[in-house]
Amino acid sequence: MKVGELRTKLSKLKKEQVVKLAAEFYKLIPKEKRMDAGIDTMVDNPDGSLSKTAKNKNIALSLDEIELDIENFLTDAREQYYLVPNQVIPKRERPKWRFKVMKWYKELINLKRADKDVEMQAGLLSDLYELMCEACGYQYFSAYDPFQSIGIEQTDFYKAVLDIREEAMGKTGLVDKGISLIMDNYLDRNTLYSDLMMVLVEKLSTPDLKYAAIDKSKQLLKDNGFDPEKRKKEVFSFSSDSFYKQQQNNNLAELIFRLHIHLDEREEAIQFFKGHHYEHSEEVKLYVLIRTLFEYMEKDLIVRELETAIENGIQPRENLLELLKHARTEGALPRYMK
């Protein structure tokens, strides 16, 4: 039936029949579609001249509505309803997930909203962030990089979660959650664990917070149960569990290293790194240490560690030898490390 035919037939019905039909039509329209199309606004103002775009701008979602929408979104995404053919999410609606996330993100970081509830906002934003991270490891959407799709870098999204969590719970609420959001989630192709670590370390602005993070990371390191001796025997093959434990071990060791550096405890940082970071090759371990020290432009420590490694029979790769030579002859580090 065409719209013109519908109008003709409706015009011949009694008012009560039109009201009943309108209510039935309304119930058939999904809530999300009603909001996108501004249906409620049109009902309230049927003679208004607002465009669809203007109407949509005037639709403000309550936190309760956002919570329900995000809960449904998380479930649907994990069921891959935005990826594969299904009867839950229509095909034409599947690519629009990114716009939903962008809208919710903006709503949740708004601390001036009338129904502000920073604890709820912090929790929902964290849930969204973790779903985006999951989508970097599992295919929930057709897009290859979920953070790129929503136009928000992973480090920026992570920082937003920490910012609003701090607003809700104070800085002490950053330690446990801040660490777990790094260690327990996948990365997109443009982000390193180190990038997220630096965001967290900067947010932990007092020595007490940094020491609390060190204590928490050491406990997680212990709970992780990585066994370097067992790992040494797995020269040519190893299980995914073994890989995960080594990755967790090394990430926690790096985070503790960085926290000590920011506490001006450089020797403690280096000794902890040497005692806990694991690589099959001692040269690779040396490279990771030097690369991280280079971020802090620690020339004297870099020279010392390279010289000590050579004395102990480790043969550094060519670019490390060039770095050592430059530091010795120029008395400074180059601007970039090859």
Side-chain angles (χ1 to χ4, degrees), residues 66 83 242:
I66 294 173
L83 180 66
S242 179

Side-chain angles (χ1 to χ4, degrees), residues 136-200:
C136 295
Y138 300 96
Q139 194 169 9
Y140 291 158
F141 312 106
S142 58
Y144 179 76
D145 188 330
F147 286 102
Q148 187 178 66
S149 295
I150 61 175
I152 305 168
E153 293 185 7
Q154 186 170 2
T155 49
D156 292 336
F157 205 137
Y158 174 70
K159 184 178 183 299
V161 173
L162 295 187
D163 287 343
I164 198 164
R165 187 174 179 83
E166 179 183 351
E167 184 74 21
M169 306 167 196
K171 284 188 176 291
T172 55
L174 299 179
V175 175
D176 289 9
K177 190 66 173 178
I179 294 173
S180 68
L181 285 176
I182 296 173
M183 301 300 162
D184 300 338
N185 285 305
Y186 291 100
L187 302 176
D188 72 2
R189 57 183 175 176
N190 299 313
T191 306
L192 302 173
Y193 286 107
S194 302
D195 298 331
L196 301 177
M197 290 178 197
M198 291 306 298
V199 173
L200 177 61

